C-alpha cells in the first residue's frame, strides 16, 4: 500500500509540475505578444490612459481627471465632432465632458485596483500594457481554478491530459493573447472585467464545494469581485444570476443559521460595492447608471447617439460569433477581418474582428457537447450549473452587442472566457460518459484538432500590429 501511495503521490506531483510549466508558458507567451512592435512595460513620467489619470484624481480627492480645455467651453455644441476635433486630437478623445468638467468614461474599478496601489507603493505610473497583461494572466489562472472545481465535481473520469489541455483552451485558444498584444486603457478595462468575472466564479464554486457548509469568506470574495466587475464593465451586472442561484443552493442545503450567514456574506459586499459605484456615477454625471458614455467626446455626437438599440443586436452577434478570421499569404497567415467602422450610427460597421465560433472551433465543439453532457450525466446540479453559465455568458454577449451599431475584437474577451469554460466542462463530461470507445476516440480526436487550430489562431492573431482598433 505504501508503494501505491508513493506512486500516486509522485504522479500527482508530476501532474502539478506539468500544469505549472504550461501556465508559466502561457504567461510567457502573453509577455512576448505584449512586447511586439517595440512596445515596453516601462511607465511614463506622467499618468497614461483613462485609468491612470482617474487614479491620480482619486488620490487627489477629485472626480475630474483633466483640466478642461478653454476651446471646448466656448463651442456652441462641444459634442459635435467638427467642433471638438482639436480638443480630441490634443488628448481628450473619448473622455467624458459634463457640466464643464472632464471625466473618465469608465467606472472606478481598474483605477482603484491597479493604478492607485501601484502609485501608493511608490512604483510610479502604471503602464496600461502591463496592467492588461496582469489582468489577462489573472483571468486565465482564475478560469483554470474554476475549471478544476467544476471537473472535480462533475467528471466521473478525468484523464491526466485533460488539465494540460484545459490550460491551452483557457489561456491561448481565445482572445486574451490578442487583448494583451494591444494593451491600451480600453483593453485594460476589459481584461480587468474578465479577471473579476472569472475570479468571482472561482470563489463562488470553491465556497460552495459543500453547500451544506459554505465558506462565508469565499462567498464574500465572490460577491465583492462580481460587484467590482460592474465598475470595470457595466454589463457584467448580469453575473448576479450566479449569486442568486448560489443563494438558492445554500438555502436548500444548509441550516438556517449557516444559510443566513452565507447569504449575508455573499450579498452585503455586492450591494455595498454597487452603492459605491452608483454614488461615484451620481457625483460625476448626476445619474447612478451613467458611466460617461453618453457624454464622450468622440467621432460621433454621443448625446444623440442611438445607444442600446435592439437593431444593433443581430449584426453585432453575427460579427462576434461568425465573422472571420481571414487567411493571408504572408506571415502570420491569419488576421482579423478589416475595419469597416465609420462614424455614421445608421450604418453597421466593425473594427478589426474575428468571431468566436469560426476562429476558436474548440469553443464551438464544446458548446455542441452541452446537450449530450446533460443527457448522459443526468444530475440536476450539473444541469443548473451549465444553464446558469449559458445564461450569464449569453447575457454578457448581448450586453456587449447592444450599445453601438458596431463591433470590435476587444469586446469578445467579455464573453469568450466564460463560454470557453462552459464548453470545456461540457466536452469533459461528454467524453467521460461516452457510451462507446469508438465514439470516445472520435470525440476526443476531433476536439484535439479543434484545440490545436484554436490555439494557433489565438497566438497568431496576437502577432501582427492591429490597426484600426
Amino acid at each position: 500500500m505504501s508503494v501505491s501511495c508513493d506512486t500516486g503521490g509522485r504522479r500527482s506531483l508530476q501532474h502539478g509540475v506539468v500544469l505549472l510549466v504550461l501556465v508559466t508558458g502561457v504567461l510567457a507567451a502573453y509577455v512576448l505578444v505584449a512586447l511586439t512592435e517595440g512596445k515596453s512595460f516601462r511607465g511614463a513620467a506622467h499618468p497614461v490612459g483613462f485609468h491612470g489619470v482617474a487614479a491620480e484624481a482619486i488620490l487627489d480627492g477629485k472626480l475630474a481627471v483633466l483640466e478642461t480645455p478653454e476651446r471646448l467651453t466656448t463651442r456652441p455644441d462641444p459634442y459635435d465632432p467638427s467642433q471638438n476635433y482639436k480638443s480630441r486630437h490634443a488628448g481628450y478623445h473619448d473622455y467624458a465632458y459634463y457640466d464643464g468638467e472632464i471625466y473618465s468614461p469608465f467606472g472606478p474599478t481598474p483605477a482603484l485596483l491597479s493604478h492607485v496601489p501601484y502609485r501608493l507603493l511608490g512604483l510610479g505610473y502604471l503602464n496600461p500594457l502591463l496592467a492588461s497583461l496582469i489582468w489577462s494572466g489573472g483571468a486565465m489562472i482564475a478560469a483554470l481554478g474554476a475549471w478544476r472545481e467544476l471537473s472535480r465535481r462533475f467528471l466521473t473520469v478525468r484523464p491526466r491530459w485533460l488539465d494540460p489541455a484545459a490550460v491551452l483552451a483557457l489561456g491561448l485558444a481565445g482572445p486574451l493573447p490578442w487583448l494583451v498584444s494591444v494593451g491600451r486603457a480600453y483593453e485594460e478595462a476589459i481584461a480587468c472585467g474578465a479577471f473579476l468575472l472569472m475570479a468571482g466564479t472561482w470563489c463562488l464554486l470553491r465556497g460552495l464545494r459543500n453547500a451544506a457548509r459554505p465558506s462565508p469568506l469565499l462567498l464574500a470574495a465572490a460577491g465583492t469581485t462580481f460587484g467590482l466587475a460592474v465598475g470595470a464593465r457595466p454589463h457584467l451586472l448580469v453575473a448576479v444570476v450566479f449569486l442568486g442561484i448560489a443563494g438558492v443552493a445554500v438555502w436548500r442545503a444548509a441550516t438556517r443559521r449557516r444559510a443566513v450567514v452565507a447569504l449575508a456574506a455573499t450579498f452585503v459586499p455586492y450591494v455595498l460595492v454597487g452603492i459605491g459605484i452608483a454614488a461615484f456615477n451620481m457625483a460625476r454625471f448626476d445619474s447612478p447608471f451613467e458611466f460617461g458614455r453618453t457624454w464622450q467626446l468622440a467621432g460621433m455626437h454621443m448625446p444623440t447617439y442611438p445607444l442600446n438599440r435592439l437593431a444593433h443586436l443581430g449584426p453585432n452577434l453575427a460579427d462576434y460569433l461568425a465573422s472571420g478570421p481571414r487567411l493571408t499569404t504572408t506571415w502570420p497567415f491569419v488576421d482579423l477581418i478589416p475595419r469597416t467602422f465609420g462614424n455614421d450610427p445608421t450604418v453597421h460597421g466593425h473594427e478589426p474582428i474575428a468571431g468566436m465560433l469560426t476562429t476558436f472551433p474548440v469553443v464551438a465543439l464544446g458548446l455542441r457537447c452541452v446537450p449530450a453532457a446533460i443527457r448522459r450525466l443526468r444530475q440536476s446540479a450539473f444541469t443548473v450549473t451549465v444553464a446558469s453559465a449559458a445564461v450569464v455568458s449569453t447575457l454578457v454577449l448581448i450586453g456587449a452587442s447592444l450599445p453601438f451599431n458596431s463591433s470590435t475584437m476587444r469586446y469578445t474577451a467579455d464573453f469568450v472566457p466564460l463560454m470557453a469554460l462552459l464548453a470545456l466542462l461540457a466536452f469533459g463530461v461528454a467524453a467521460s460518459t461516452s457510451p462507446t470507445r469508438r465514439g470516445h476516440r472520435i470525440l476526443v480526436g476531433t476536439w484535439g484538432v479543434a484545440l490545436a487550430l484554436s490555439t494557433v489562431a489565438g497566438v497568431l492573431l496576437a502577432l501582427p500590429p492591429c490597426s484600426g482598433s
Side-chain angles (χ1 to χ4, degrees):
M1 181 175 292
S2 61
V3 173
S4 176
C5 291
D6 289 345
T7 302
R10 283 197 299 271
R11 287 179 178 175
S12 297
L13 178 61
Q14 291 169 355
H15 186 66
V17 170
V18 169
L19 290 182
L20 179 60
V21 169
L22 280 173
V23 170
T24 303
V26 171
L27 295 176
Y30 285 7
V31 172
L32 291 176
V33 298
L35 297 178
T36 56
E37 302 301 313
K39 290 181 290 187
S40 168
F41 294 133
R42 289 193 301 270
H46 53 80
V48 176
F50 304 113
H51 315 298
V53 296
E56 290 304 297
I58 291 170
L59 290 171
D60 291 338
K62 300 186 300 184
L63 294 172
V65 298
L66 295 173
E67 294 294 329
T68 305
E70 185 177 352
R71 67 167 71 95
L72 201 61
T73 63
T74 59
R75 295 293 184 262
D77 184 357
Y79 305 103
D80 184 336
S82 64
Q83 297 184 38
N84 64 30
Y85 179 86
K86 289 185 177 180
S87 295
R88 286 190 291 117
H89 286 264
Y92 290 85
H93 182 71
D94 274 351
Y95 279 91
Y97 175 65
Y98 182 78
D99 199 23
E101 300 284 1
I102 299 292
Y103 300 103
S104 167
F106 290 91
T109 298
L112 286 173
L113 294 189
S114 55
H115 290 263
V116 168
Y118 201 81
R119 289 285 287 128
L120 292 177
L121 290 172
L123 300 176
Y125 300 106
L126 179 61
N127 187 328
L129 181 65
L130 179 56
S132 298
L133 170 69
I134 293 170
W135 291 127
S136 297
M140 183 270 292
I141 292 171
L144 187 60
W147 154 251
R148 297 277 288 177
E149 289 296 323
L150 290 168
S151 62
R152 181 181 289 111
R153 179 166 185 177
F154 294 118
L155 264 63
T156 55
V157 177
R158 189 170 67 185
R160 290 191 174 273
W161 57 263
L162 188 53
D163 281 343
V167 177
L168 300 180
L170 298 173
L172 296 179
L176 288 180
W178 180 90
L179 198 73
V180 173
S181 73
V182 180
R184 304 166 301 175
Y186 302 96
E187 289 74 29
E188 177 187 347
I190 294 168
C192 179
F195 165 74
L196 291 168
L197 179 61
M198 300 315 300
T201 302
W202 184 11
C203 290
L204 197 62
L205 291 169
R206 184 64 183 84
L208 291 178
R209 183 178 285 185
N210 180 358
R213 299 178 67 89
S215 167
L217 183 61
L218 286 169
L219 293 180
T224 302
T225 51
F226 282 146
L228 289 169
V230 179
R233 302 290 288 159
H235 53 275
L236 295 185
L237 173 70
V238 299
V240 73
V241 171
F242 283 153
L243 297 183
I245 292 172
V248 172
V250 168
W251 190 258
R252 294 177 62 180
T255 64
R256 285 296 169 264
R257 180 178 178 277
R258 284 202 177 104
V260 170
V261 171
L263 291 176
T266 304
F267 286 99
V268 169
Y270 185 82
V271 171
L272 290 177
V273 171
I275 290 173
I277 294 171
F280 182 73
N281 289 338
M282 190 73 187
R284 296 188 300 165
F285 304 115
D286 297 320
S287 169
F289 309 110
E290 176 60 62
F291 284 80
R293 183 173 286 170
T294 304
W295 309 110
Q296 281 183 278
L297 303 171
M300 298 163 287
H301 193 275
M302 293 307 297
T304 59
Y305 188 95
L307 288 167
N308 299 309
R309 300 296 174 88
L310 285 176
H312 302 165
L313 191 58
N316 284 336
L317 288 179
D319 288 345
Y320 288 130
L321 296 178
S323 62
R326 65 187 175 99
L327 303 180
T328 68
T329 57
T330 57
W331 174 258
F333 309 116
V334 179
D335 204 352
L336 308 177
I337 59 175
R339 172 189 175 108
T340 64
F341 174 75
N343 289 324
D344 184 353
T346 65
V347 178
H348 175 73
H350 56 74
E351 293 182 352
I353 192 171
M356 177 185 73
L357 300 179
T358 48
T359 309
F360 310 115
V362 70
V363 179
L365 179 58
L367 294 177
R368 180 65 183 84
C369 292
V370 168
I374 293 175
R375 187 170 58 252
R376 293 174 187 171
L377 196 58
R378 295 184 179 180
Q379 287 186 20
S380 59
F382 177 73
T383 302
V384 170
T385 299
V386 167
S388 60
V391 167
V392 171
S393 57
T394 300
L395 289 176
V396 173
L397 169 58
I398 292 172
S401 302
L402 279 177
F404 300 107
N405 194 16
S406 60
S407 58
T408 177
M409 184 66 180
R410 60 179 173 270
Y411 286 6
T412 62
D414 282 333
F415 58 88
V416 170
L418 185 56
M419 285 196 174
L421 180 62
L422 168 61
L424 180 62
L425 176 63
F427 161 75
V429 170
S432 66
T433 57
S434 181
T436 65
R437 288 187 177 182
R438 183 172 182 272
H440 174 80
R441 287 197 299 268
I442 291 174
L443 177 58
V444 171
T446 305
W447 188 84
V449 172
L451 175 61
L453 292 174
S454 302
T455 300
V456 169
V459 173
L460 293 183
L461 286 175
L463 295 180
C466 185
S467 59
S469 182

